[in-house]
Amino acid sequence: MNQENWLKILEQNRIIAVIRASEIEIGMKMAKAVAAGGIRIIEITWNSHKASELITLLRSELPTCIIGTGTLLTIEELQKALKIGCQFIFTPHTNPAMIQTAKIAAVPIIPGALSPTEILTAWQAGASCVKIYPISAVGGATYITSLQGPLGEIPLIPTGGVTLGNAKEFIKAGAIAVGLSGKLFPKDLIIAQNWEAIARQTQALVRELSANN
């Protein structure tokens, strides 16, 4: 996937569902619930239960979705993720060697950064976008707004503090997309396995953020 297509997909969808599942069966149901609600970009964290197996199953069962992984810390983990066909990669940190490895494989990689120096370092190393994490630690949407002047050409994806209530603020502030994890999957709904409720709240969020396109 080239850079232009990846950015277009992000602009069209705006939301990345981040799933960290303790059981592969629950991970499947979480992914299918948000897919039913209209989310098309799904990240399965590498520290999920049987992550590689779950990703492979989702690639088959949700063909209209783009399935990637995140929380990758090493080149070895990255190589395993690329081997099973992950369609994008998120990392919580900036590692130039990992960025180059993903670029050679033509797979979008979104490294984590926080300060302007870290963001620019990730971008200059070849990042497809930059994950601003944890956004809650640096002022939320106002921080994204502040970055637009000097770093406006760099596509930013805030995570770690995005909620159903403030997601739209981040898009208005200039983020190309947002990543949501726990807020998409309230514990009480997971325990009750109320997948329809998760799909409904996802659908409402998708509709709200689509209004910005």
Side-chain angles (χ1 to χ4, degrees):
M1 187 187 312
N2 65 36
Q3 176 75 349
E4 184 179 351
N5 287 344
W6 171 242
L7 295 180
K8 189 175 296 183
I9 288 167
L10 290 173
E11 288 174 342
Q12 290 171 344
N13 290 275
R14 298 295 192 185
I15 308 166
I16 299 159
V18 181
I19 294 174
R20 180 174 283 105
S22 58
E23 298 177 27
I24 189 171
E25 295 80 8
I26 296 297
M28 285 289 293
K29 291 176 180 178
M30 291 167 73
K32 289 181 176 181
V34 292
I39 286 180
R40 292 291 171 260
I41 309 175
I42 299 173
E43 171 194 333
I44 303 299
T45 65
W46 198 247
N47 55 2
S48 290
H49 180 237
K50 296 185 178 179
S52 59
E53 184 178 336
L54 176 56
I55 291 163
T56 301
L57 286 170
L58 290 174
R59 287 288 313 274
S60 174
E61 297 197 21
L62 296 177
T64 63
C65 292
I66 298 172
I67 311 295
T69 191
T71 320
L72 294 179
L73 301 177
T74 67
I75 287 182
E76 290 74 23
E77 290 177 341
L78 172 60
Q79 290 170 335
K80 290 177 182 177
L82 294 174
K83 188 174 182 179
I84 64 168
C86 290
Q87 294 173 283
F88 63 85
I89 304 292
F90 273 83
T91 67
H93 64 311
T94 294
N95 180 322
M98 292 179 70
I99 293 171
Q100 285 304 307
T101 299
K103 280 194 72 176
I104 291 169
V107 173
I109 184 167
I110 307 90
L114 199 57
S115 72
T117 297
E118 293 170 345
I119 295 165
L120 191 58
T121 298
W123 182 244
Q124 291 177 338
S128 303
C129 302
V130 181
K131 177 171 82 167
I132 309 303
Y133 169 83
I135 191 63
S136 60
V138 285
T142 58
Y143 187 59
I144 300 297
T145 301
S146 300
L147 294 172
Q148 292 308 299
L151 303 176
E153 78 281 5
I154 302 176
L156 305 176
I157 302 178
T159 71
V162 182
T163 68
L164 299 175
N166 67 18
K168 190 173 183 179
E169 295 175 22
F170 286 101
I171 301 301
K172 286 184 174 181
I176 192 169
V178 294
L180 286 93
S181 53
K183 300 301 181 182
L184 273 179
F185 305 102
K187 288 184 179 180
D188 59 330
L189 296 183
I190 296 293
I191 292 170
Q193 297 201 32
N194 191 342
W195 310 116
E196 289 184 5
I198 291 173
R200 285 196 301 271
Q201 71 171 20
T202 299
Q203 187 176 46
L205 180 63
V206 169
R207 189 181 302 117
E208 181 181 19
L209 268 61
S210 294
N212 289 273
N213 289 341

